[in-house]
Amino acid sequence: MLTADNYPLSFLCTRCDCHNGKLESDTRAFLSPQPGTLNQAIKDVEALVNEEVDGSVLSVWLMAEVDHWNNEKERIVLITELSLLVFKYDFMMFNCDQMQRIPLNFVDRISHGTFSFPKRSLLERNGEGVRVFWDRLREPSFTSRWNPFATDFPFITFTYHPVRNISDAFTALTDVEKFREQLKDAAQKVHTLKPVPGKANGVLVLNQPIQIEAYVGFMSFLGNENKLGYCMARGNLGF
């Protein structure tokens, strides 16, 4: 299990000589890989785990959340014995700004694959991701779909964090496929131990495109290109 106490120092680096200059330049500004930063972040978020509600921590991940308007947001994600915990963490101020708890026995579907958009959408996204659903009978409302600040969606979507290639250790920490496998196994176990009345037990795993129903997204394009959803050193400041 990966925790703050056994977090390997090889995960923590400010540069990567084994990669080309562009990659080193692109990733060095991220605050999460700086020495000691991620250790402290993991300690802070683990302190928020309620063992009576969540059980013990099984694994820790560094992910990029993709919202329904195609905005990327840096997240620390914990898989525990009973919950999926998603944290918005400020790596500059060393503070957890937001926490989302998803009981694993409510997770009923996991889809994974490339991203897709409506036919007339001007947006695009490369790579693959994973989407976790916890209420297959509830669809987002029309109002929520068109509200960029809506948070009442019965699913959450992750993709690879941009620092995934700076070292083998970070590749493991941001591995979406391994995350999906561990989440599926943990959720299946909880479905057996603590079934929810009225819900079908078990987790359906689907390999299919992940649909983002957004058409025009100047703000998401601007934000994603400039990595505004990540804590980074920007000149003399960090955001």
Side-chain angles (χ1 to χ4, degrees):
M1 179 184 73
L2 184 61
T3 65
D5 295 330
N6 62 15
Y7 199 65
L9 292 178
S10 60
F11 279 13
L12 306 175
C13 58
T14 57
R15 61 179 296 164
C16 183
D17 295 328
C18 60
H19 294 280
N20 60 45
K22 183 178 186 301
L23 178 59
E24 182 179 334
S25 174
D26 288 347
T27 58
R28 195 187 299 180
F30 287 91
L31 298 182
S32 52
Q34 305 303 316
T37 301
L38 200 50
N39 293 65
Q40 184 60 51
I42 292 173
K43 287 182 180 180
D44 290 343
V45 298
E46 285 186 335
L48 299 175
V49 176
N50 183 334
E51 288 209 8
E52 292 186 4
V53 176
D54 305 311
S56 300
V57 176
L58 301 178
S59 57
V60 180
W61 306 87
L62 184 63
M63 295 287 179
E65 180 185 349
V66 182
D67 72 9
H68 62 296
W69 275 47
N70 198 39
N71 297 295
E72 287 183 22
K73 305 171 184 180
E74 188 172 39
R75 296 291 184 258
I76 298 176
V77 182
L78 305 187
I79 298 176
T80 72
E81 291 177 316
L82 301 174
S83 304
L84 176 66
L85 304 177
V86 183
F87 300 91
K88 177 184 178 184
Y89 189 86
D90 186 336
F91 288 98
M92 183 179 181
M93 302 303 295
F94 294 100
N95 182 63
C96 180
D97 294 331
Q98 181 182 315
M99 172 182 171
Q100 182 178 8
R101 174 182 284 111
I102 303 159
L104 290 183
N105 57 348
F106 279 79
V107 172
D108 50 35
R109 180 163 40 118
I110 300 173
S111 65
H112 61 100
T114 57
F115 291 93
S116 67
F117 293 84
K119 184 175 296 186
R120 293 183 175 83
S121 175
L122 301 179
L123 301 174
E124 61 179 18
R125 170 173 292 279
N126 297 322
E128 298 186 351
V130 59
R131 177 169 287 173
V132 183
F133 299 82
W134 52 87
D135 190 348
R136 69 177 69 181
L137 299 179
R138 179 165 65 92
E139 290 292 330
S141 67
F142 177 83
T143 303
S144 294
R145 292 179 191 275
W146 286 94
N147 179 3
F149 305 107
T151 59
D152 59 342
F153 286 79
F155 58 78
I156 191 167
T157 308
F158 299 109
T159 190
Y160 292 97
H161 194 289
V163 302
R164 62 179 293 205
N165 290 323
I166 67 173
S167 71
D168 290 341
F170 264 101
T171 298
L173 184 67
T174 60
D175 192 329
V176 170
E177 290 187 15
K178 290 289 179 58
F179 165 77
R180 168 174 53 84
E181 293 170 0
Q182 291 196 20
L183 177 63
K184 179 200 69 174
D185 292 342
Q188 292 279 26
K189 184 175 181 180
V190 179
H191 272 281
T192 301
L193 297 176
K194 300 183 66 175
V196 178
K199 285 183 66 72
N201 293 324
V203 180
L204 181 64
V205 179
L206 300 172
N207 185 354
Q208 62 183 20
I210 297 175
Q211 180 81 359
I212 299 179
E213 295 187 23
Y215 292 85
V216 180
F218 174 75
M219 293 306 297
S220 68
F221 173 80
L222 181 66
N224 293 341
E225 284 294 305
N226 292 281
K227 301 292 187 287
L228 298 183
Y230 298 86
C231 289
M232 301 182 69
R234 306 177 194 273
N236 293 324
L237 298 174
F239 296 100

